[in-house]
Amino acid sequence: MADTQYILPNDIGVSSLDCREAFRLLSPSERLYAHHLSRAAWYGGLAVLLQTSPEAPYIYALLSRLFRAQDPDQLRQHALAEGLTEEDYQAFLVYAAGVYSNMGNYKSFGDTKFVPNLPKEKLERVILGSEAAQQHPEEVRGLWQTCGELMFCLEPRLRHLGLGKEGITTYFSGNCTMEDAKLAQDFLDSQNLSAYNTRLFKEVDREGKPHYEVRLASVLGTEPSPDSEVTSKLKSYEFRGSPFQVTRGDYAPILQKVVEQLDKAKVYAANSHQKHMLAQYIDSFTQGSIEAHKRGSRFWIQDKGPIVESYIGFIESYRDPFGSRGEFEGFVAVVNKAMSAKFERLVASAEQLLKELPWPPAFEKDKFLTPDFTSLDVLTFAGSGIPAGINIPNYDDLRQTEGFKNVSLGNVLAVAYATQREKLTFLEEEDKDLYILWKGPSFDVQVGLHELLGHGSGKLFVQDEKGAFNFDQETVINPETGEQIQSWYRSGETWDSKFSTIASSYEECRAESVGLYLCLHPQVLEIFGFEGADAEDVIYVNWLNMVRAGLLALEFYTPEASSWRQAHMQARFVILRVLLEAGEGLVTITPTTGSDGRPDARVRLDRSKIQSVGKPALERFLRKLQVLKSTGDVAGGRALYEGYAAVTDAPPECFLTLRDTVLLRKESRKLIVQPNTRLEGSDVQLLEYEASAAGLIRSFSERFPEDGPELEDILTQLATADARFWKGPSEAPSGQA
């Protein structure tokens, strides 16, 4: 059997996303709007399979065919007849649920491959003897031959997502290196093209010269189209001695279905902002234009307080090994009015609270652009995973000058709150009950501060294409050096493009640090309804949760490559290091032996020293983070951040040894079952499913009732068309589906 870090355990937690009450309160028109947006999101989410691994689309197609022909209970009877045990079959169900939940065979949180926890020969018997194989023998056998080996393969390079020798990714062809990624980013910057909706493919000619294709995601390909900002970019270039070709049409048939549903949603839009927003999204996905998506995002920002909230596109860059390309994501949610009222009070206090942050006023935005901040109950979240909160759009120019929105996903947080005492690790016994009592409320506070005042704070110093600066070069002083500003962002440069591989984690660390820092402010706690001893407990549990999370983060560090696989967890480890460095016993980690005789550890936070020791240490660190970000000082930012992110076995913490303990005691991230919406006449019905691996599988089996087989064909055809880009000595042949 595989190492436990590469499997999902049979007893993995599975929770259902509860949005019944929120959906019930929607009007018929709002339900129709939400339904078509949800369809668009689910269709677009399939692109994630093509953004993850070469085999992911084939695995998805194979599982979908199996469970369309036989539901989990029917397939179970066949599996037991083939000699599988109940444990074997449950392992298969958990694997299938994991593929659906992560939109691929790599964990969305950690980017680690997971494989079926049963012998390959047993699974082969189930698949080839299934009803699906009886109905379509050539197709099912072809899919199994294509993905079966890779489904189980744990060669070192295939264990994690990464670039070059460090891992596998389908954002880049298999022969691309970090140097290729850097060259491509410089090329994109030179043409003022965003990397968000691109992939990079490299082919080497007979003379050994590399040729690069930058492919944009769009419905349109080579066919003639109306003039747009994209059309003029679709041509050949010579850049630093290398040929580049900009093309489009990536994920075309999938995006066509997205566009069709967005067009239907427009009919039920509540206002002109939503109609204009959807029109621009349609143009973006049709043409391959990030500029059109930005225009849509402007209308989205202006659509204040909608009952049905949504966002869709190539959004987060966490899984691109270079840190610039966006994974497709789409969500649809309904406002939770009670919690949103608290967030509105936080927004009202934001300008005052921003002054409490430990950097000079010149390093803060010229004007705080009051955002929407709502608590939402998620109806649909399509992509590789569901976050607890979001601050979008990610376009620096929009965030700096036009604003953003914050959303806290209330029913997702409710799933995260659920903690069983017996499964709580690395805490002192006397802390566990307090932790369980206050984890949820403290997380509400942290998410609110993280999204609104973490991601929403700070200014980038920019010189535009005309040479004008957005700061006074003569008077603005760097508080770390006492000198005038020496570096900034040139036209075309963005935070992601400049800081690339550390950008996401660095920004998450800054936002988390702002949350910890500002939760010490009595006004913040009063907004959320906490005073006196309760407020002190919320602060303590928030800080305790962060230092515990920093220890748990070690699961996502790969010693062989000296690299991190998850931006948020790397950020939390960095904060743990900062607080440990503060000394004076603020934070201690003590190795112990558990009741089972195996290694264990305990994290202790001295609550009496949070204000006197923790706050000053965090203040110094936060100021450095912001100054380096504002000035675009990549060298300084890397030196600071990578220094704290380094994992060694140096005493007293001995983090590499602690990592072994963390892996030994780790609990797998929960899988979340989402509902479906179904149009019946002019009414929209909500279909809910049980909180189990089988329930999650059923939700996907019923997600595309009209065109499931067509979608599977589309996915395998798109994967096969590009399969040559990942064939190599370390990989099994891709085959044909």
Side-chain angles (χ1 to χ4, degrees), residues 266-317:
K266 268 175 62 181
V267 177
Y268 305 103
N271 53 52
S272 61
H273 291 313
Q274 291 179 0
K275 289 178 181 176
H276 290 315
M277 170 189 80
L278 293 176
Q280 292 297 331
Y281 290 165
I282 288 168
D283 189 44
S284 173
F285 298 140
T286 301
Q287 301 282 347
S289 169
I290 290 297
E291 288 303 316
H293 197 268
K294 281 187 181 181
R295 291 192 291 271
S297 297
R298 285 190 177 94
F299 288 115
W300 179 73
I301 292 167
Q302 294 163 18
D303 184 28
K304 302 290 186 182
I307 299 299
V308 177
E309 183 62 282
S310 69
Y311 198 62
I312 190 168
F314 296 89
I315 313 297
E316 302 292 356
S317 56

Short mmCIF file of all heavy atoms in Angstrom, two decimals, residues 266-317:
data_model
loop_
_atom_site.label_atom_id
_atom_site.label_comp_id
_atom_site.label_asym_id
_atom_site.label_seq_id
_atom_site.Cartn_x
_atom_site.Cartn_y
_atom_site.Cartn_z
N LYS A 266 -28.20 36.31 -17.84
CA LYS A 266 -28.42 37.74 -18.09
C LYS A 266 -29.90 38.11 -18.07
O LYS A 266 -30.29 39.20 -17.64
CB LYS A 266 -27.83 38.14 -19.46
CG LYS A 266 -26.40 38.64 -19.41
CD LYS A 266 -25.84 38.89 -20.79
CE LYS A 266 -26.59 39.95 -21.55
NZ LYS A 266 -26.03 40.14 -22.91
N VAL A 267 -30.74 37.20 -18.54
CA VAL A 267 -32.18 37.45 -18.61
C VAL A 267 -32.74 37.74 -17.22
O VAL A 267 -33.71 38.51 -17.07
CB VAL A 267 -32.90 36.24 -19.24
CG1 VAL A 267 -34.41 36.44 -19.25
CG2 VAL A 267 -32.37 35.99 -20.65
N TYR A 268 -32.14 37.15 -16.19
CA TYR A 268 -32.67 37.25 -14.83
C TYR A 268 -31.82 38.16 -13.94
O TYR A 268 -32.01 38.18 -12.72
CB TYR A 268 -32.77 35.85 -14.21
CG TYR A 268 -33.59 34.91 -15.06
CD1 TYR A 268 -32.97 33.94 -15.85
CD2 TYR A 268 -34.98 35.02 -15.11
CE1 TYR A 268 -33.72 33.10 -16.67
CE2 TYR A 268 -35.74 34.18 -15.92
CZ TYR A 268 -35.09 33.23 -16.69
OH TYR A 268 -35.84 32.40 -17.49
N ALA A 269 -30.91 38.92 -14.53
CA ALA A 269 -30.08 39.84 -13.76
C ALA A 269 -30.96 40.87 -13.05
O ALA A 269 -31.97 41.32 -13.59
CB ALA A 269 -29.08 40.54 -14.68
N ALA A 270 -30.54 41.24 -11.85
CA ALA A 270 -31.35 42.13 -11.02
C ALA A 270 -31.19 43.60 -11.39
O ALA A 270 -32.03 44.42 -11.02
CB ALA A 270 -31.00 41.93 -9.55
N ASN A 271 -30.10 43.94 -12.08
CA ASN A 271 -29.85 45.35 -12.38
C ASN A 271 -28.87 45.46 -13.55
O ASN A 271 -28.35 44.45 -14.05
CB ASN A 271 -29.29 46.08 -11.15
CG ASN A 271 -28.07 45.38 -10.57
OD1 ASN A 271 -27.12 45.08 -11.29
ND2 ASN A 271 -28.09 45.10 -9.28
N SER A 272 -28.62 46.69 -13.98
CA SER A 272 -27.75 46.90 -15.15
C SER A 272 -26.30 46.53 -14.86
O SER A 272 -25.58 46.11 -15.76
CB SER A 272 -27.83 48.37 -15.59
OG SER A 272 -27.37 49.23 -14.56
N HIS A 273 -25.87 46.69 -13.60
CA HIS A 273 -24.49 46.28 -13.27
C HIS A 273 -24.29 44.81 -13.57
O HIS A 273 -23.27 44.41 -14.16
CB HIS A 273 -24.20 46.55 -11.79
CG HIS A 273 -24.12 48.00 -11.42
ND1 HIS A 273 -23.38 48.90 -12.15
CD2 HIS A 273 -24.66 48.69 -10.39
CE1 HIS A 273 -23.49 50.10 -11.59
NE2 HIS A 273 -24.27 50.00 -10.52
N GLN A 274 -25.24 43.97 -13.15
CA GLN A 274 -25.12 42.53 -13.39
C GLN A 274 -25.16 42.21 -14.87
O GLN A 274 -24.41 41.35 -15.35
CB GLN A 274 -26.22 41.78 -12.63
CG GLN A 274 -26.04 41.82 -11.12
CD GLN A 274 -27.15 41.09 -10.38
OE1 GLN A 274 -28.07 40.54 -10.98
NE2 GLN A 274 -27.06 41.09 -9.05
N LYS A 275 -26.03 42.89 -15.62
CA LYS A 275 -26.11 42.64 -17.06
C LYS A 275 -24.81 43.00 -17.77
O LYS A 275 -24.30 42.25 -18.60
CB LYS A 275 -27.28 43.42 -17.67
CG LYS A 275 -28.64 42.87 -17.27
CD LYS A 275 -29.78 43.69 -17.85
CE LYS A 275 -31.13 43.13 -17.41
NZ LYS A 275 -32.26 43.97 -17.87
N HIS A 276 -24.26 44.18 -17.44
CA HIS A 276 -23.00 44.60 -18.05
C HIS A 276 -21.85 43.67 -17.62
O HIS A 276 -20.98 43.34 -18.43
CB HIS A 276 -22.68 46.04 -17.67
CG HIS A 276 -23.59 47.05 -18.29
ND1 HIS A 276 -23.95 47.02 -19.62
CD2 HIS A 276 -24.23 48.13 -17.76
CE1 HIS A 276 -24.76 48.03 -19.89
NE2 HIS A 276 -24.95 48.72 -18.78
N MET A 277 -21.87 43.27 -16.36
CA MET A 277 -20.85 42.36 -15.85
C MET A 277 -20.85 41.05 -16.65
O MET A 277 -19.80 40.60 -17.14
CB MET A 277 -21.14 42.07 -14.37
CG MET A 277 -20.32 40.96 -13.75
SD MET A 277 -20.95 40.54 -12.09
CE MET A 277 -22.36 39.48 -12.50
N LEU A 278 -22.02 40.46 -16.82
CA LEU A 278 -22.12 39.19 -17.54
C LEU A 278 -21.75 39.36 -19.01
O LEU A 278 -21.11 38.47 -19.60
CB LEU A 278 -23.53 38.61 -17.40
CG LEU A 278 -23.91 38.17 -15.97
CD1 LEU A 278 -25.36 37.70 -15.92
CD2 LEU A 278 -22.98 37.07 -15.46
N ALA A 279 -22.11 40.49 -19.60
CA ALA A 279 -21.75 40.72 -21.01
C ALA A 279 -20.23 40.76 -21.17
O ALA A 279 -19.69 40.22 -22.15
CB ALA A 279 -22.37 42.03 -21.49
N GLN A 280 -19.55 41.38 -20.22
CA GLN A 280 -18.09 41.44 -20.30
C GLN A 280 -17.44 40.08 -20.04
O GLN A 280 -16.45 39.71 -20.67
CB GLN A 280 -17.55 42.48 -19.31
CG GLN A 280 -17.90 43.91 -19.67
CD GLN A 280 -17.29 44.36 -20.99
OE1 GLN A 280 -16.23 43.88 -21.39
NE2 GLN A 280 -17.97 45.27 -21.68
N TYR A 281 -18.01 39.32 -19.11
CA TYR A 281 -17.49 37.96 -18.88
C TYR A 281 -17.64 37.11 -20.13
O TYR A 281 -16.74 36.35 -20.50
CB TYR A 281 -18.22 37.29 -17.72
CG TYR A 281 -17.94 37.84 -16.35
CD1 TYR A 281 -18.76 37.52 -15.27
CD2 TYR A 281 -16.86 38.69 -16.11
CE1 TYR A 281 -18.53 38.01 -14.00
CE2 TYR A 281 -16.62 39.20 -14.84
CZ TYR A 281 -17.46 38.86 -13.79
OH TYR A 281 -17.22 39.35 -12.54
N ILE A 282 -18.78 37.24 -20.78
CA ILE A 282 -19.02 36.50 -22.02
C ILE A 282 -17.98 36.89 -23.06
O ILE A 282 -17.40 36.02 -23.73
CB ILE A 282 -20.46 36.76 -22.53
CG1 ILE A 282 -21.47 36.05 -21.62
CG2 ILE A 282 -20.62 36.30 -23.98
CD1 ILE A 282 -22.91 36.47 -21.85
N ASP A 283 -17.71 38.18 -23.18
CA ASP A 283 -16.69 38.65 -24.12
C ASP A 283 -15.32 38.13 -23.74
O ASP A 283 -14.53 37.71 -24.60
CB ASP A 283 -16.69 40.18 -24.16
CG ASP A 283 -15.81 40.72 -25.28
OD1 ASP A 283 -15.88 40.19 -26.41
OD2 ASP A 283 -15.05 41.67 -25.04
N SER A 284 -15.02 38.13 -22.45
CA SER A 284 -13.73 37.65 -21.97
C SER A 284 -13.49 36.19 -22.34
O SER A 284 -12.46 35.83 -22.90
CB SER A 284 -13.64 37.81 -20.45
OG SER A 284 -12.47 37.20 -19.94
N PHE A 285 -14.48 35.34 -22.04
CA PHE A 285 -14.32 33.91 -22.30
C PHE A 285 -14.40 33.60 -23.80
O PHE A 285 -13.80 32.62 -24.26
CB PHE A 285 -15.37 33.10 -21.54
CG PHE A 285 -15.29 33.25 -20.05
CD1 PHE A 285 -16.44 33.35 -19.27
CD2 PHE A 285 -14.06 33.30 -19.40
CE1 PHE A 285 -16.37 33.50 -17.90
CE2 PHE A 285 -13.98 33.44 -18.02
CZ PHE A 285 -15.14 33.55 -17.27
N THR A 286 -15.11 34.43 -24.55
CA THR A 286 -15.20 34.22 -25.99
C THR A 286 -13.91 34.62 -26.68
O THR A 286 -13.36 33.87 -27.50
CB THR A 286 -16.38 35.02 -26.58
OG1 THR A 286 -17.59 34.61 -25.94
CG2 THR A 286 -16.50 34.78 -28.08
N GLN A 287 -13.40 35.79 -26.36
CA GLN A 287 -12.22 36.35 -27.04
C GLN A 287 -10.89 35.91 -26.42
O GLN A 287 -9.85 35.98 -27.08
CB GLN A 287 -12.28 37.89 -27.01
CG GLN A 287 -13.51 38.50 -27.66
CD GLN A 287 -13.42 38.51 -29.18
OE1 GLN A 287 -12.36 38.29 -29.75
NE2 GLN A 287 -14.54 38.76 -29.84
N GLY A 288 -10.93 35.52 -25.12
CA GLY A 288 -9.68 35.25 -24.42
C GLY A 288 -9.09 36.51 -23.82
O GLY A 288 -7.88 36.62 -23.64
N SER A 289 -9.95 37.47 -23.48
CA SER A 289 -9.50 38.79 -23.05
C SER A 289 -9.57 38.97 -21.54
O SER A 289 -10.66 38.98 -20.95
CB SER A 289 -10.36 39.87 -23.72
OG SER A 289 -10.12 41.13 -23.14
N ILE A 290 -8.42 39.15 -20.89
CA ILE A 290 -8.40 39.50 -19.48
C ILE A 290 -8.88 40.93 -19.28
O ILE A 290 -9.51 41.26 -18.27
CB ILE A 290 -6.99 39.29 -18.88
CG1 ILE A 290 -6.67 37.79 -18.81
CG2 ILE A 290 -6.87 39.92 -17.50
CD1 ILE A 290 -7.56 36.98 -17.89
N GLU A 291 -8.62 41.80 -20.26
CA GLU A 291 -9.12 43.18 -20.15
C GLU A 291 -10.64 43.20 -20.06
O GLU A 291 -11.22 43.99 -19.31
CB GLU A 291 -8.64 44.02 -21.34
CG GLU A 291 -7.16 44.34 -21.30
CD GLU A 291 -6.74 45.07 -20.04
OE1 GLU A 291 -7.45 46.01 -19.63
OE2 GLU A 291 -5.72 44.68 -19.44
N ALA A 292 -11.32 42.35 -20.83
CA ALA A 292 -12.78 42.27 -20.74
C ALA A 292 -13.21 41.74 -19.37
O ALA A 292 -14.20 42.20 -18.80
CB ALA A 292 -13.33 41.38 -21.86
N HIS A 293 -12.44 40.79 -18.84
CA HIS A 293 -12.76 40.29 -17.49
C HIS A 293 -12.58 41.38 -16.45
O HIS A 293 -13.36 41.49 -15.49
CB HIS A 293 -11.89 39.07 -17.16
CG HIS A 293 -12.42 38.27 -16.00
ND1 HIS A 293 -12.03 38.51 -14.71
CD2 HIS A 293 -13.33 37.26 -15.95
CE1 HIS A 293 -12.66 37.66 -13.90
NE2 HIS A 293 -13.46 36.91 -14.64
N LYS A 294 -11.57 42.22 -16.65
CA LYS A 294 -11.39 43.36 -15.75
C LYS A 294 -12.59 44.31 -15.82
O LYS A 294 -13.07 44.80 -14.80
CB LYS A 294 -10.12 44.13 -16.11
CG LYS A 294 -8.82 43.52 -15.63
CD LYS A 294 -7.68 44.48 -15.93
CE LYS A 294 -6.36 43.92 -15.48
NZ LYS A 294 -5.25 44.86 -15.76
N ARG A 295 -13.06 44.55 -17.05
CA ARG A 295 -14.23 45.43 -17.20
C ARG A 295 -15.44 44.82 -16.49
O ARG A 295 -16.21 45.52 -15.82
CB ARG A 295 -14.53 45.67 -18.68
CG ARG A 295 -13.47 46.53 -19.37
CD ARG A 295 -13.94 47.01 -20.74
NE ARG A 295 -14.05 45.94 -21.72
CZ ARG A 295 -13.07 45.54 -22.51
NH1 ARG A 295 -11.87 46.12 -22.44
NH2 ARG A 295 -13.26 44.56 -23.39
N GLY A 296 -15.61 43.50 -16.65
CA GLY A 296 -16.69 42.83 -15.93
C GLY A 296 -16.53 42.95 -14.43
O GLY A 296 -17.51 43.15 -13.69
N SER A 297 -15.28 42.88 -13.96
CA SER A 297 -15.01 42.99 -12.53
C SER A 297 -15.33 44.39 -12.01
O SER A 297 -15.73 44.55 -10.86
CB SER A 297 -13.55 42.63 -12.25
OG SER A 297 -13.27 41.29 -12.60
N ARG A 298 -15.14 45.40 -12.86
CA ARG A 298 -15.51 46.76 -12.45
C ARG A 298 -17.01 46.85 -12.18
O ARG A 298 -17.44 47.42 -11.17
CB ARG A 298 -15.12 47.77 -13.54
CG ARG A 298 -13.64 48.05 -13.63
CD ARG A 298 -13.37 49.23 -14.57
NE ARG A 298 -11.95 49.53 -14.59
CZ ARG A 298 -11.09 49.06 -15.48
NH1 ARG A 298 -11.53 48.26 -16.45
NH2 ARG A 298 -9.82 49.38 -15.43
N PHE A 299 -17.81 46.29 -13.08
CA PHE A 299 -19.26 46.28 -12.87
C PHE A 299 -19.61 45.45 -11.64
O PHE A 299 -20.53 45.79 -10.89
CB PHE A 299 -19.99 45.75 -14.10
CG PHE A 299 -19.98 46.69 -15.27
CD1 PHE A 299 -19.32 46.36 -16.45
CD2 PHE A 299 -20.62 47.92 -15.20
CE1 PHE A 299 -19.30 47.22 -17.54
CE2 PHE A 299 -20.62 48.79 -16.28
CZ PHE A 299 -19.95 48.45 -17.45
N TRP A 300 -18.87 44.38 -11.43
CA TRP A 300 -19.12 43.51 -10.26
C TRP A 300 -18.85 44.29 -8.96
O TRP A 300 -19.63 44.20 -8.00
CB TRP A 300 -18.22 42.28 -10.36
CG TRP A 300 -18.35 41.34 -9.21
CD1 TRP A 300 -19.40 40.51 -8.95
CD2 TRP A 300 -17.40 41.13 -8.17
NE1 TRP A 300 -19.15 39.78 -7.80
CE2 TRP A 300 -17.94 40.15 -7.31
CE3 TRP A 300 -16.14 41.66 -7.88
CZ2 TRP A 300 -17.26 39.69 -6.18
CZ3 TRP A 300 -15.46 41.21 -6.75
CH2 TRP A 300 -16.02 40.24 -5.91
N ILE A 301 -17.77 45.06 -8.92
CA ILE A 301 -17.46 45.87 -7.75
C ILE A 301 -18.58 46.87 -7.47
O ILE A 301 -18.96 47.12 -6.33
CB ILE A 301 -16.12 46.61 -7.94
CG1 ILE A 301 -14.94 45.62 -7.96
CG2 ILE A 301 -15.89 47.65 -6.83
CD1 ILE A 301 -13.63 46.21 -8.46
N GLN A 302 -19.16 47.42 -8.55
CA GLN A 302 -20.21 48.44 -8.42
C GLN A 302 -21.56 47.84 -8.02
O GLN A 302 -22.46 48.56 -7.58
CB GLN A 302 -20.36 49.19 -9.74
CG GLN A 302 -19.14 50.03 -10.11
CD GLN A 302 -19.13 50.43 -11.58
OE1 GLN A 302 -20.15 50.38 -12.26
NE2 GLN A 302 -17.95 50.80 -12.08
N ASP A 303 -21.70 46.53 -8.15
CA ASP A 303 -22.97 45.86 -7.82
C ASP A 303 -22.98 45.61 -6.31
O ASP A 303 -22.63 44.53 -5.84
CB ASP A 303 -23.08 44.55 -8.61
CG ASP A 303 -24.41 43.86 -8.37
OD1 ASP A 303 -25.41 44.55 -8.08
OD2 ASP A 303 -24.45 42.62 -8.48
N LYS A 304 -23.38 46.61 -5.56
CA LYS A 304 -23.30 46.57 -4.10
C LYS A 304 -24.44 45.75 -3.49
O LYS A 304 -25.60 45.94 -3.83
CB LYS A 304 -23.34 47.99 -3.52
CG LYS A 304 -22.25 48.92 -4.02
CD LYS A 304 -20.89 48.53 -3.49
CE LYS A 304 -19.83 49.56 -3.87
NZ LYS A 304 -18.48 49.18 -3.41
N GLY A 305 -24.07 44.86 -2.58
CA GLY A 305 -25.05 44.13 -1.79
C GLY A 305 -26.08 43.32 -2.55
O GLY A 305 -27.26 43.34 -2.20
N PRO A 306 -25.70 42.58 -3.60
CA PRO A 306 -26.70 41.77 -4.31
C PRO A 306 -27.20 40.62 -3.43
O PRO A 306 -26.46 40.14 -2.55
CB PRO A 306 -25.91 41.23 -5.51
CG PRO A 306 -24.50 41.17 -5.03
CD PRO A 306 -24.33 42.35 -4.11
N ILE A 307 -28.41 40.19 -3.68
CA ILE A 307 -28.93 39.02 -2.95
C ILE A 307 -28.19 37.76 -3.38
O ILE A 307 -27.80 36.93 -2.57
CB ILE A 307 -30.45 38.86 -3.20
CG1 ILE A 307 -31.21 40.10 -2.72
CG2 ILE A 307 -30.98 37.61 -2.50
CD1 ILE A 307 -31.06 40.39 -1.24
N VAL A 308 -27.99 37.62 -4.70
CA VAL A 308 -27.22 36.50 -5.24
C VAL A 308 -25.86 37.04 -5.69
O VAL A 308 -25.78 37.87 -6.59
CB VAL A 308 -27.95 35.83 -6.44
CG1 VAL A 308 -27.09 34.72 -7.03
CG2 VAL A 308 -29.29 35.29 -5.99
N GLU A 309 -24.82 36.59 -5.03
CA GLU A 309 -23.46 37.04 -5.34
C GLU A 309 -22.73 35.95 -6.12
O GLU A 309 -22.98 34.75 -5.91
CB GLU A 309 -22.70 37.34 -4.04
CG GLU A 309 -21.30 37.88 -4.22
CD GLU A 309 -21.26 39.22 -4.95
OE1 GLU A 309 -21.39 39.19 -6.20
OE2 GLU A 309 -21.09 40.26 -4.29
N SER A 310 -21.85 36.36 -7.02
CA SER A 310 -21.11 35.38 -7.81
C SER A 310 -19.83 36.00 -8.34
O SER A 310 -19.69 37.24 -8.37
CB SER A 310 -21.95 34.89 -9.00
OG SER A 310 -22.12 35.94 -9.93
N TYR A 311 -18.91 35.14 -8.75
CA TYR A 311 -17.71 35.59 -9.45
C TYR A 311 -17.21 34.38 -10.23
O TYR A 311 -17.37 33.24 -9.78
CB TYR A 311 -16.64 36.09 -8.48
CG TYR A 311 -15.57 36.95 -9.12
CD1 TYR A 311 -15.88 38.16 -9.72
CD2 TYR A 311 -14.24 36.55 -9.11
CE1 TYR A 311 -14.90 38.97 -10.29
CE2 TYR A 311 -13.24 37.35 -9.67
CZ TYR A 311 -13.58 38.55 -10.26
OH TYR A 311 -12.62 39.35 -10.83
N ILE A 312 -16.61 34.62 -11.39
CA ILE A 312 -16.23 33.48 -12.23
C ILE A 312 -15.06 33.88 -13.12
O ILE A 312 -14.97 35.02 -13.58
CB ILE A 312 -17.43 33.01 -13.08
CG1 ILE A 312 -17.13 31.68 -13.78
CG2 ILE A 312 -17.86 34.08 -14.08
CD1 ILE A 312 -18.36 31.03 -14.39
N GLY A 313 -14.15 32.94 -13.33
CA GLY A 313 -13.03 33.20 -14.23
C GLY A 313 -11.77 32.48 -13.80
O GLY A 313 -11.80 31.56 -12.98
N PHE A 314 -10.66 32.91 -14.37
CA PHE A 314 -9.35 32.36 -14.02
C PHE A 314 -8.81 33.24 -12.90
O PHE A 314 -8.28 34.33 -13.14
CB PHE A 314 -8.45 32.34 -15.26
CG PHE A 314 -8.97 31.43 -16.33
CD1 PHE A 314 -9.87 31.90 -17.29
CD2 PHE A 314 -8.62 30.09 -16.35
CE1 PHE A 314 -10.38 31.06 -18.27
CE2 PHE A 314 -9.13 29.23 -17.32
CZ PHE A 314 -10.01 29.71 -18.28
N ILE A 315 -8.93 32.78 -11.68
CA ILE A 315 -8.85 33.68 -10.52
C ILE A 315 -7.55 33.53 -9.71
O ILE A 315 -6.71 34.41 -9.72
CB ILE A 315 -10.06 33.47 -9.58
CG1 ILE A 315 -11.37 33.43 -10.37
CG2 ILE A 315 -10.08 34.54 -8.50
CD1 ILE A 315 -11.71 34.69 -11.11
N GLU A 316 -7.41 32.43 -8.99
CA GLU A 316 -6.31 32.30 -8.04
C GLU A 316 -5.11 31.61 -8.67
O GLU A 316 -5.25 30.64 -9.41
CB GLU A 316 -6.76 31.51 -6.80
CG GLU A 316 -7.94 32.13 -6.06
CD GLU A 316 -7.61 33.45 -5.38
OE1 GLU A 316 -6.44 33.87 -5.40
OE2 GLU A 316 -8.54 34.07 -4.83
N SER A 317 -3.92 32.11 -8.32
CA SER A 317 -2.69 31.60 -8.95
C SER A 317 -1.89 30.69 -8.03
O SER A 317 -0.70 30.46 -8.26
CB SER A 317 -1.82 32.78 -9.40
OG SER A 317 -1.55 33.64 -8.31
#
